[in-house]
Amino acid sequence: AGTYKELIMTKPVKTFLSKVVRSIAVLFITLFLSPHASAKILEIEHWVTHNGLNVYYVYASELPIVDIKLAFNAGSAQDGQAHGLALLTNSLINEGTTKHTPDQLAESLENTGAQFGTDTDRDMAVISLRSMSNRALLQSALDTFTEMLSQAN
């Protein structure tokens, strides 16, 4: 019998570890030392609307997509004794409006290629929209999104 180190460091383990170390070294050289490596730093614009809403804006011309995320101080920490209220409320936001059924809302978003989403965690509730930046598609998606938020049934 050998020592613990001798038992662990068998030839296959040594070979594997040397490959891992070489891979990490190649990755490091590629990412950090290559003359072609460049990190794009995103410029984040920030402003506050007249009614106190914080807006953060990042322009990225590489993708013809608009992402909108609305974050509310309405996470589960705000539920009090009504456990699950934030999650329930956020999950019902796309369940119809005073004008349209849930299926009609889904079809309207689908016709523009837009995606709607909700998320609830401890600190916040998030409602999101992802749309193509084409003016007509975006406007249609925004109209549906606005209706869902302002006229929930």
Side-chain angles (χ1 to χ4, degrees):
T3 66
Y4 178 72
K5 184 176 179 183
E6 290 171 339
L7 292 173
I8 296 293
M9 295 302 285
T10 62
K11 183 171 179 158
V13 171
K14 287 180 183 177
T15 303
F16 172 75
L17 289 176
S18 69
K19 287 181 181 179
V20 168
V21 169
R22 276 186 290 203
S23 297
I24 291 172
V26 168
L27 181 63
F28 176 81
I29 290 168
T30 303
L31 291 177
F32 299 107
L33 301 179
S34 169
H36 302 291
S38 64
K40 179 171 178 163
I41 298 175
L42 297 176
E43 183 179 329
I44 302 172
E45 295 180 46
H46 173 253
W47 65 89
V48 179
T49 64
H50 68 334
N51 59 354
L53 179 69
N54 282 299
V55 177
Y56 295 90
Y57 174 78
V58 177
Y59 178 76
S61 62
E62 300 84 23
L63 298 172
I65 293 173
V66 174
D67 273 323
I68 298 171
K69 294 191 186 303
L70 304 176
F72 300 91
N73 183 17
S76 60
Q78 305 295 324
D79 285 353
Q81 294 300 314
H83 303 289
L85 180 62
L87 179 61
L88 176 65
T89 303
N90 212 13
S91 65
L92 292 174
I93 202 79
N94 64 344
E95 290 299 314
T97 67
T98 55
K99 296 179 182 177
H100 296 97
T101 67
D103 289 339
Q104 291 170 324
L105 294 171
E107 184 178 340
S108 176
L109 291 171
E110 182 179 308
N111 288 339
T112 64
Q115 297 174 336
F116 174 83
T118 62
D119 187 31
T120 306
D121 46 11
R122 180 158 174 71
D123 300 324
M124 70 180 115
V126 177
I127 301 171
S128 60
L129 176 72
R130 172 173 277 186
S131 172
M132 300 299 291
S133 61
N134 170 282
R135 188 174 297 275
L137 296 174
L138 177 60
Q139 187 58 58
S140 179
L142 283 172
D143 290 345
T144 303
F145 187 62
T146 302
E147 180 182 328
M148 293 168 77
L149 295 174
S150 63
Q151 300 175 31
N153 195 6

